[in-house]
Amino acid sequence: METNKTNTLTIRERLAAVMTSPFTVITATSVIFTLSVITSNYGTILGFIIALFTLWAIKWKWSYFGFQRNPFFKTLGKAVFYTALIILVNDFLFQPVIEFYYGSTDLSSFEGIKGNVANYVIFILIMWVVAAFGEEFLFRGYMTKRLAIIFGESKKAWFAAIIVSSVVFGFAHTYQGISGIVSTFFVALIFGFILYKNPKNLWAGVLTHGIYDMFGITMIFLDKERVITNWVLENLLSFL
């Protein structure tokens, strides 16, 4: 009976079984990490392909990644709260300390949006698709969520999954230098925590990611991206 059932599976169903297997998820995570260390963006691009192919194989079952219907305004409220938390904990506390020891985060890739309204608007639109939606879809919806389930879905399993995916996320930003890697790793920990608290609402992470990136991009557009860090560092140095 088992043999007949297996033979009746379509190619798409067989691919779904392969793509959702623990072996594939762990292997994909390892390859994405390796490519991220070597080439930065290519690891993320490959990750998008793998996650999207998985989504197709499982017949566009978005809930597999944590996308389910949730009250919009309640989710938005959570996102605003989480964004404020990230700005407070990362921008005012963690990042200045990291830059004190490892130097400034390399934001030269974003120079083109400074004072340029057209580039700023285009970048915001791209950010919402690629970073806010895309990165949460890959690093949290696919990587963190699946690893947590593979590890046993306990608190320790979630902790391990969040650490692993955050390391990969950090190295996916190697173009920002050491401070950028460490800072994005720390922010990814918070994104992972958001998913842990909202395992069936990845939109909370997407909106948080988007709002936080909009804040950062707007500061760069206004040529004020160093205001918070410099203010904290000046006060830190005077205290020391």
Side-chain angles (χ1 to χ4, degrees):
M1 292 296 291
E2 289 297 324
T3 302
N4 292 335
K5 184 177 181 180
T6 301
N7 290 335
T8 60
L9 294 177
T10 66
I11 293 177
R12 188 171 182 177
E13 288 171 335
R14 293 180 184 181
L15 286 173
V18 172
M19 295 305 297
T20 58
S21 70
F23 174 79
T24 299
V25 174
I26 292 173
T27 300
T29 299
S30 301
V31 173
I32 293 168
F33 170 70
T34 302
L35 280 178
S36 295
V37 172
I38 298 173
T39 64
S40 188
N41 290 332
Y42 289 106
T44 301
I45 292 171
L46 175 63
F48 286 155
I49 294 172
I50 292 172
L52 285 170
F53 186 73
T54 301
L55 179 62
W56 170 83
I58 62 175
K59 300 180 180 179
W60 310 105
K61 187 179 178 182
W62 290 96
S63 60
Y64 178 85
F65 296 86
F67 287 111
Q68 296 188 30
R69 290 185 178 181
N70 288 274
F72 173 75
F73 289 106
K74 184 177 180 180
T75 300
L76 180 61
K78 288 182 178 181
V80 171
F81 170 77
Y82 290 137
T83 301
L85 178 65
I86 295 173
I87 292 173
L88 174 63
V89 177
N90 182 69
D91 294 41
F92 277 92
L93 300 176
F94 188 76
Q95 188 166 328
V97 174
I98 292 301
E99 294 198 5
F100 178 77
Y101 288 103
Y102 297 105
S104 299
T105 300
D106 184 359
L107 298 176
S108 58
S109 300
F110 307 99
E111 284 293 320
I113 68 174
K114 287 187 176 181
N116 189 314
V117 177
N119 286 350
Y120 169 72
V121 172
I122 292 172
F123 201 88
I124 287 288
L125 294 174
I126 293 174
M127 176 278 294
W128 272 104
V129 176
V130 177
F133 181 84
E135 290 182 347
E136 290 307 303
F137 170 65
L138 170 59
F139 291 101
R140 257 63 65 182
Y142 176 76
M143 198 174 293
T144 306
K145 191 174 179 67
R146 300 333 298 177
L147 288 176
I149 292 173
I150 291 170
F151 295 159
E153 217 168 356
S154 63
K155 288 184 178 180
K156 290 182 179 179
W158 271 99
F159 178 77
I162 290 170
I163 291 293
V164 171
S165 62
S166 297
V167 168
V168 180
F169 187 77
F171 277 98
H173 294 77
T174 53
Y175 62 90
Q176 295 183 13
I178 295 177
S179 291
I181 293 173
V182 178
S183 178
T184 50
F185 162 76
F186 181 73
V187 172
L189 292 177
I190 301 177
F191 286 144
F193 171 77
I194 293 172
L195 178 63
Y196 171 70
K197 298 298 291 184
N198 305 271
K200 296 182 179 180
N201 188 7
L202 190 60
W203 288 114
V206 171
L207 289 174
T208 303
H209 197 143
I211 296 170
Y212 179 65
D213 278 8
M214 278 189 67
F215 169 76
I217 293 169
T218 300
M219 294 296 282
I220 294 173
F221 168 71
L222 297 173
D223 199 16
K224 301 291 184 181
E225 70 274 14
R226 300 285 313 165
V227 168
I228 296 176
T229 302
N230 287 343
W231 179 82
V232 174
L233 285 174
E234 287 172 5
N235 285 277
L236 179 64
L237 287 173
S238 63
F239 176 76
L240 295 176

